Each structure stands twice: as C-alpha cells, then as structure tokens.
Amino acid sequence: MGELDARHVDSLPTSSSSRPSVTIGSSLIPIINKLQDILAQAGSELDVSLPQVAVVGSQSSGKSSVLEALVGRDFLPRGCDICTRRPLVLMLENRLPKPDDDRTEWGEFRHLPEKRFYDFSEIRAEIQAETEREAGLNKGVSDKQIRLKITSPNVLNMTLVDLPGITKVPVGDQPNDIEARIRKMVMTHISQQNCIILAVTPANSDLATSDALQMAREADPAGFRTIGVITKLDIMDRGTDARSFLLGKVIPLKLGYVGVVNRSQEDINKNCGIATALAYEDKFFNDHPVYRGLSDNCGIPQLARKLNEILEQHIRMVFPALKADLNSKMGTVLKELQTYGKPIESKMEQGVILLNILTQYCEAFAAMVDGKSQEMSTKELSGGARIHYILQSIFVKCLEEVDPCDDLSDDDIRMAIQNASGARNALFVPEVPFEFLVRRQIARLLDPSLQCLQFVYDELMKISHACEVTELQRFPVLRKHLDEVMVKFLRDGVEPAERMIGNLIEMEVDYINTSHPNFLGGNKAAELAMQLLKSPQGSRPQPNNENHVSSGTKAWIPSLFGSRTSARESMACRPFGEPSHSESMPSIIHLREALEKVDFDVSSQTSSLGTDASIGLPRIPMTSAHLHMTAG
C-alpha cells in the first residue's frame, strides 16, 4: 500500500489531541474512484457494487456541514429548505502539491470533462445549475447522480455519496409521496453490501427516533456497515451530553460513533471559514469536561481518519471478490464484442458491410419462404409452409365446407321473383331475381379473402422478425430501421392486394356465367321436376350425371360473405383486416385462426387453387394476391 509522506500529514485537518501519523488507502481508493467513473459511463447494465460511503440523514441534520468540513471548503448549496435534491458522488483525492504550482485544490465534474473549477463558489453554482436542469427549479428531486471529484492536499482519499435529506411534508412542486421517493432512493444506495453507511443525527433530537439510524438498521440489521455521526453537540440542552450515545450504549454500532460541532447558520452568514470552525470545534472538545476524555470519538479530523481507515479495510476485504466479478463480466463483454467484428474505419467498408447485411437478410427471408432455411424447425410449421397451410387448409377448406345457399331460403327466392314481376304475373321465371341473389352470395367471398390476406401478412411479418442475421447484432439501430422499412414495405403491398381481390370479386359479380356445362338451367330444372313427378311414389330419380350436376351446384361457392354494396363500402371505408358487420347481410363465417402447431393432411397440401368445375367461377387466386403484395 502506498503511503503519503509523513510531513504532509500536518497539513490535514486534525485536532491538537489526535493526529494521524499516516494516511491510508492512497492507492486502492483512487482505483475504486476510477472504476466509479468507468461504471457510471456504462450505465446500469453492469450491476457492480463498489465500496463507497453514503451519507444519510434527515433534512437540516448537518450532513452538508460534515461534508464541507471533511473537504475543508465551502462548496455545497445551503439553505433552510431541502438543498440536496440529487445524489452527489463526491470523490476526494489526496495529491501532494507541486513546487511550481500555486493551485493545489480544484474540482472536476464528470458532466464537464476537461474543465477544472478552482473557485469553490463556482462549484456550488454548478451543483445548483445541474440540479435544476434535472430536478426542476423548485423543490423536486431526481435519482440521477452528480459526480464531482475534488483534488486537494488537505483531504483523505475516500468516496462519499451525499443523498437527499429525508423529509416528511412535500413543499414546492414536490409530489405527495416525496418521503417515499426519497426513502426508496436512499435504500437503493445503502442496501448495497459494499456501501458504508454514514448515519447523521443531530444531538438536539432523540437518537431513538433518528430517521438515519432507522433506515441504516433496515439496510444493515447487524450494524457492521454503519458509522454514527452525532452533530450539533454544542447546542444540546444545558446539563445534558451525548457521552452514552458516543460510547454506543444506547444504540450499539460495530463501527462506533463520532461527535462533531457544526457551523451555525449565523457563522455561515458571517462567512466564518472552515478553519475557524475547526478551531472552535477543537477548543470546544478540549474544554468540555465530558468530551475531553473522548478524543477518539470527537471531531472532524477523527471522523476523516476513521472513514478513511474503514473504507480502506472494507476495500481490502471485498477486493478479491470484486476482482473476480469484474473479470467474469469482462469475459462476457469480450465475447459479445467479438461477435460485433472488427472496427469499421472508412465509408467504403461501411458500404460493403451494409450491402452484405442486406443481401444476407434477403437471402434468409427467401430461404424461409422457399423452405430452404438451414435452421428448419421439426416441431411446427414456419415460413412458406405456414403460408401454404393458411391458403390450403384454412382458406380453401373453410370455403368448401360452407353451404352456398346459406341464408337463402325458398321464401327469399319466391319474394325476389314476385318483386321482379312488378304489377303483372310472370309467365316465365325472370332473370333479375336470379342475378340479384347470385350476386349477393358471390359478394360474400370478399371478407374471407381479406381475412386470408391478413393471415398471410401476419406470417410475412413473423418471417421478417425471424430473419436473424448475425451481423445485425452489431448494429441495433440498423435492425430497428430495417424492421421499420419491412413493415412499411409489407403494408404498402396490402392496399394493392386488397384492391385486386375486390376487383376479382366485382368481375365475378358483374358477369354470371350461365353457359357453363355444369350450370343447371331452366330446361334442365323442368326436366328434373317432371321426372320427379313421374317417378313412382314421388321418389326423385338420381341419374349419375344429374346427381353430379346437383351436387356440384351445392359446392360451387364454398364460403359466401357480405353483399356487393357492403363489399365495395368495406374496401373504400373500413381499415384493413377489420371485419364488416351489418344486420341486413347474411351471417358471416370467419376463417379459423392459424394455430402455432398443426396436424394436417398431406394430401390436402397438394391441392391447388383453380377453376371450380361446377359453375366455372374461378376461386380467388390468393397466391397471385400474395405475390402482388410482396412485390410491393
């Protein structure tokens, strides 16, 4: 362990009765300070608890006075209200003055690198400004740290965290739960096992009701990490003293207690310096009949020495485990770093890598659609096989299983014929009701077709997200933009696909093909009716060809949805994928959802979409719609 020159110790704040001969921790504590800076830049991703001292106390308990006395400078915001509204990480570094350098003390903020503050009043102003930037101009609080490093020959090496004082009643723009928020912030720091708790309690209050000691006991039930500091010993009631508190007879702590004397607000207003306050404190303890014999437990110099020793010993104890933890995390980070490849220097290299990433992404996407992916699943359908399953086993089968005359009764047909006849009796069956009813049934094909389009679109989105190119892990922003481009590309393909599906339905609605050989015309219907009348006992003849015609007539439109008017309106008005509803339309049959794992008939996968043999109405060529959509 490196040690300071003994002659320099005389410049440290000490009392006449007790003065440390050497300073401890001049090598380990600065290393921990450097780790603090490094981990602060890494953010919360690396969960590493470093040894430090957290200062806890209620509002106006004297925390700021203790910290300023340890530094030997006025640099903290002061006032009667809450002053510390953000955690202040104070790293003290002891450095011997150089012979040719008049400036031996300065401060450096981590949010203002390369800038030194030699005027400590400017440090106070910067703390206030940085607090207001994050926590607002009033009395709000924030858990975002302010990191300040003070280099001076008059300090001992240590790291202190000044936490907001515990308050009870919200003021200013503080929320109603300000006490709970501050307590949570304090507990987050002091609950770490490598944190030494500096519990500050004023002597003019009951130690048993101290907020600082209460929270310290919650975080450190055994009291192994807690140091008690009793402030304002000079303003206790006459005839009372804190001897039993300092000796740990009231609330025992393994690390003990230290009593100090603070500057009063009047001293601060009169610009009474730290040196004058330390001299007054030294005289107070030397002249007091009770505290005169407790020199090891009284005074700022003793507190500084004790904190330095405890922190150094604590670092020695936890350093092996800390080193192992850091090496383990470093190994993990190095492995991740290797996956990112070599650094990219020139614009040309960036362009080549970008082109390779996009090429690999396109190849991976095409391989999943074509079933040529190297990471083929044996547990569930994926990629192009899943799209084929949606088209064949969900879309086609659902249409084939639905009665084409659903919601079309004999009364509907009779009423349509009568309405088409007008005021006269019809000698022949008019074509108008036939075309009207057929158009209405054909138009019902629109909704299931759009549902199928939605299913295919969802599967393409899943394929897009599943295309993991290794190089994309290096560039998370590129991955995000690539996803955004793919979403836009597929969404742009949906609109023309919807339009094409609607046009196909409209073409079928506009022309009813009654010339198809399987169409059951009026003559054939009359012939079948006569045969039915002439057959014995009214039984219906079942010739092979006519049975084929009859059965084919029932199967020519497997699933029927909507009406012609509603179909056009749904295309023009409703959002993509939203099913239409109307009380005047026939009942709607929705396509069943595609399950993640499916058992399917292999023979069904070999069927293809084509022209129905019963009436010549082409089924909706969803494969063409899909190709048109993906082509954009």
Side-chain angles (χ1 to χ4, degrees), residues 115-164:
K115 182 177 181 180
R116 290 184 176 182
F117 291 80
Y118 295 96
D119 187 347
F120 280 75
S121 63
E122 294 182 0
I123 293 179
R124 179 189 297 111
E126 181 58 31
I127 292 175
Q128 290 177 334
E130 183 63 18
T131 299
E132 292 174 355
R133 278 193 288 268
E134 184 67 27
L137 299 176
N138 210 331
K139 305 300 180 183
V141 295
S142 171
D143 59 355
K144 189 175 182 180
Q145 295 179 345
I146 299 176
R147 306 185 65 81
L148 171 63
K149 179 181 178 182
I150 293 181
T151 303
S152 171
N154 302 320
V155 298
L156 295 177
N157 291 315
M158 66 183 74
T159 301
L160 303 167
V161 182
D162 185 19
L163 297 170

Side-chain angles (χ1 to χ4, degrees), residues 366-426:
M368 291 192 69
V369 174
D370 296 337
K372 299 179 181 179
S373 176
Q374 295 181 355
E375 299 180 358
M376 186 176 297
S377 174
T378 59
K379 303 297 183 181
E380 62 183 10
L381 291 178
S382 62
R386 190 168 174 82
I387 294 177
H388 184 265
Y389 169 77
I390 291 173
L391 295 174
Q392 298 295 330
S393 299
I394 296 180
F395 180 64
V396 173
K397 281 191 174 182
C398 180
L399 298 184
E400 290 178 345
E401 292 172 358
V402 177
D403 187 354
C405 296
D406 186 24
D407 284 340
L408 188 62
S409 63
D410 292 343
D411 292 336
D412 295 333
I413 298 174
R414 183 182 301 106
M415 189 63 64
I417 293 175
Q418 291 178 358
N419 288 332
S421 301
R424 297 174 298 175
N425 291 329

Side-chain angles (χ1 to χ4, degrees), residues 343-390:
I344 304 174
E345 300 294 340
S346 65
K347 293 290 184 180
M348 182 177 296
E349 292 178 343
Q350 294 178 7
V352 172
I353 292 179
L354 178 60
L355 181 60
N356 290 336
I357 291 175
L358 296 179
T359 302
Q360 294 179 19
Y361 179 85
C362 294
E363 291 176 351
F365 193 99
M368 291 192 69
V369 174
D370 296 337
K372 299 179 181 179
S373 176
Q374 295 181 355
E375 299 180 358
M376 186 176 297
S377 174
T378 59
K379 303 297 183 181
E380 62 183 10
L381 291 178
S382 62
R386 190 168 174 82
I387 294 177
H388 184 265
Y389 169 77
I390 291 173

Side-chain angles (χ1 to χ4, degrees), residues 10-57:
D10 295 339
S11 64
L12 296 173
T14 65
S15 65
S16 59
S17 61
S18 177
R19 176 177 297 170
S21 59
V22 292
T23 58
I24 306 173
S26 59
S27 62
L28 277 182
I29 296 179
I31 292 176
I32 296 299
N33 289 344
K34 292 180 180 179
L35 288 176
Q36 291 271 9
D37 289 338
I38 295 173
L39 294 179
Q41 297 176 5
S44 59
E45 297 179 0
L46 294 177
D47 185 16
V48 179
S49 176
L50 295 178
Q52 59 188 7
V53 179
V55 186
V56 184

Side-chain angles (χ1 to χ4, degrees), residues 259-513:
V260 299
V261 173
N262 301 86
R263 287 186 299 167
S264 64
Q265 187 63 42
E266 182 181 2
D267 294 336
I268 297 173
N269 295 336
K270 292 180 179 180
N271 294 323
C272 177
I274 299 294
T276 304
L278 290 175
Y280 169 78
E281 180 189 59
D282 185 51
K283 184 177 184 303
F284 173 81
F285 286 129
N286 287 330
D287 296 343
H288 199 281
V290 175
Y291 303 134
R292 185 186 307 167
L294 300 174
S295 58
D296 290 340
N297 298 87
C298 297
I300 289 294
Q302 295 300 327
L303 177 62
R305 178 187 59 80
K306 193 168 188 175
L307 284 176
N308 178 262
E309 290 178 351
I310 291 173
L311 186 58
E312 188 271 344
Q313 293 171 4
H314 188 65
I315 292 175
R316 283 176 176 269
M317 181 178 62
V318 303
F319 195 78
L322 178 62
K323 182 180 179 181
D325 187 22
L326 290 175
N327 286 334
S328 175
K329 286 182 168 57
M330 185 181 297
T332 303
V333 172
L334 288 176
K335 289 182 180 179
E336 181 182 357
L337 184 62
Q338 291 176 355
T339 62
Y340 295 153
K342 298 180 179 179
I344 304 174
E345 300 294 340
S346 65
K347 293 290 184 180
M348 182 177 296
E349 292 178 343
Q350 294 178 7
V352 172
I353 292 179
L354 178 60
L355 181 60
N356 290 336
I357 291 175
L358 296 179
T359 302
Q360 294 179 19
Y361 179 85
C362 294
E363 291 176 351
F365 193 99
M368 291 192 69
V369 174
D370 296 337
K372 299 179 181 179
S373 176
Q374 295 181 355
E375 299 180 358
M376 186 176 297
S377 174
T378 59
K379 303 297 183 181
E380 62 183 10
L381 291 178
S382 62
R386 190 168 174 82
I387 294 177
H388 184 265
Y389 169 77
I390 291 173
L391 295 174
Q392 298 295 330
S393 299
I394 296 180
F395 180 64
V396 173
K397 281 191 174 182
C398 180
L399 298 184
E400 290 178 345
E401 292 172 358
V402 177
D403 187 354
C405 296
D406 186 24
D407 284 340
L408 188 62
S409 63
D410 292 343
D411 292 336
D412 295 333
I413 298 174
R414 183 182 301 106
M415 189 63 64
I417 293 175
Q418 291 178 358
N419 288 332
S421 301
R424 297 174 298 175
N425 291 329
L427 297 177
F428 303 97
V429 177
E431 295 184 3
V432 174
F434 166 76
E435 293 183 356
F436 170 77
L437 295 175
V438 170
R439 286 193 181 105
R440 190 184 72 171
Q441 299 300 87
I442 293 176
R444 298 174 66 191
L445 287 170
L446 178 63
D447 281 330
S449 301
L450 295 180
Q451 291 179 43
C452 184
L453 173 62
Q454 177 69 54
F455 290 164
V456 173
Y457 168 81
D458 293 340
E459 287 304 315
L460 291 174
M461 289 299 302
K462 291 180 181 178
I463 294 175
S464 173
H465 295 313
C467 290
E468 289 293 341
V469 180
T470 305
E471 285 74 5
L472 275 177
Q473 298 177 3
R474 300 177 58 186
F475 312 105
V477 177
L478 175 61
R479 176 75 212 200
K480 177 182 177 182
H481 287 300
L482 186 59
D483 288 340
E484 292 175 355
V485 170
M486 283 302 300
V487 169
K488 185 179 184 302
F489 174 75
L490 295 177
R491 291 292 300 179
D492 291 343
V494 167
E495 183 177 353
E498 281 186 313
R499 189 165 54 250
M500 188 196 70
I501 292 174
N503 291 337
L504 289 173
I505 297 296
E506 287 191 359
M507 285 190 293
E508 300 299 334
V509 168
D510 288 341
Y511 179 73
I512 308 301
N513 183 15

